Amino acid sequence: KLQALSISQLQDLSTSQLQGLSVTQLQGLSHTQLYGLSHTELQSLTQLGGLSYSQLQDLSYTHIQGLGVSHTESLSYSHLQSLSATQLHDLSCTQLQNLSLSQVQDLSYSRLQYLCVNQLQHLSMSEVSILPVTQLRELSTQHLMALSNSELGHMYVTELQGLSVSQLQNMAVSQLQSLNPY
């Protein structure tokens, strides 16, 4: 049983051995064992999408920062919802940029609030444009101000109509000037 292995024994496994673990075996690792793996060892795992929600919640800042593009791309709706506020905040801008459109849509408006301004600025135009009105309405003034003129210019009419009076009043002149007149 893998659960009988110590952290140091798990750390001594080769990359190919770690990659050879099945999702079931990975899910069988204790939180201590998983936490004991370095971010490099975690990066070598192609099966991270198979982690249980509680295992995913146990990942540290270093683990989250160490996730590669293939790992962030494999996160399901449930995985994204299980990330803590701290973990969402720990995602790098590169990791955030590599989320698919459907993954960005899966972030509920309450989860979007956990993204820092710098992360929000790194959403692509297509990602910002697909955010539902309910998510845009919940953006703080600080988050809305972080959107580039180009991102605001690509918003659809229904998205713009969903912004609150307070949000509109706090937009910079250059942001308002970037809005498409049609």
Side-chain angles (χ1 to χ4, degrees):
K1 287 189 159 191
L2 279 176
Q3 285 184 324
L5 296 178
S6 69
I7 293 170
S8 62
Q9 288 173 311
L10 281 172
Q11 289 172 336
D12 288 338
L13 294 176
S14 70
T15 300
S16 61
Q17 288 172 315
L18 285 171
Q19 288 176 337
L21 295 176
S22 69
V23 170
T24 304
Q25 288 174 309
L26 190 60
Q27 287 176 340
L29 293 177
S30 71
H31 299 288
T32 304
Q33 288 173 311
L34 189 63
Y35 198 79
L37 292 174
S38 71
H39 71 280
T40 306
E41 290 161 331
L42 270 181
Q43 257 191 319
S44 72
L45 295 173
T46 55
Q47 319 86 323
L48 277 181
L51 287 178
S52 70
Y53 309 122
S54 60
Q55 285 176 315
L56 194 61
Q57 288 175 331
D58 284 343
L59 296 181
S60 68
Y61 169 81
T62 306
H63 290 131
I64 294 291
Q65 285 287 302
L67 295 178
V69 172
S70 63
H71 298 125
T72 52
E73 286 176 344
S74 70
L75 294 175
S76 67
Y77 169 81
S78 299
H79 284 119
L80 286 170
Q81 295 303 319
S82 70
L83 289 174
S84 69
T86 302
Q87 288 174 316
L88 279 171
H89 194 74
D90 289 345
L91 287 172
S92 71
C93 293
T94 302
Q95 289 169 318
L96 195 63
Q97 283 177 314
N98 286 306
L99 291 178
S100 69
L101 294 178
S102 62
Q103 285 175 306
V104 172
Q105 280 180 314
D106 287 343
L107 291 171
S108 65
Y109 60 83
S110 62
R111 314 289 298 158
L112 277 177
Q113 293 293 345
Y114 298 135
L115 299 179
C116 68
V117 171
N118 191 39
Q119 289 170 311
L120 196 64
Q121 286 175 322
H122 285 85
L123 288 176
S124 70
M125 285 186 288
S126 55
E127 289 170 331
V128 171
S129 70
I130 54 98
L131 293 175
V133 172
T134 53
Q135 288 177 310
L136 290 171
R137 195 175 293 136
E138 294 299 322
L139 292 177
S140 68
T141 300
Q142 184 182 18
H143 285 110
L144 190 61
M145 295 293 288
L147 295 176
S148 72
N149 294 347
S150 180
E151 289 167 331
L152 286 168
H154 283 85
M155 285 185 166
Y156 295 109
V157 172
T158 55
E159 293 167 326
L160 291 170
Q161 288 172 338
L163 295 177
S164 70
V165 171
S166 174
Q167 287 174 313
L168 288 170
Q169 287 175 339
N170 286 297
M171 290 175 74
V173 172
S174 63
Q175 287 178 309
L176 289 171
Q177 288 172 340
S178 69
L179 299 178
N180 190 333
Y182 306 104

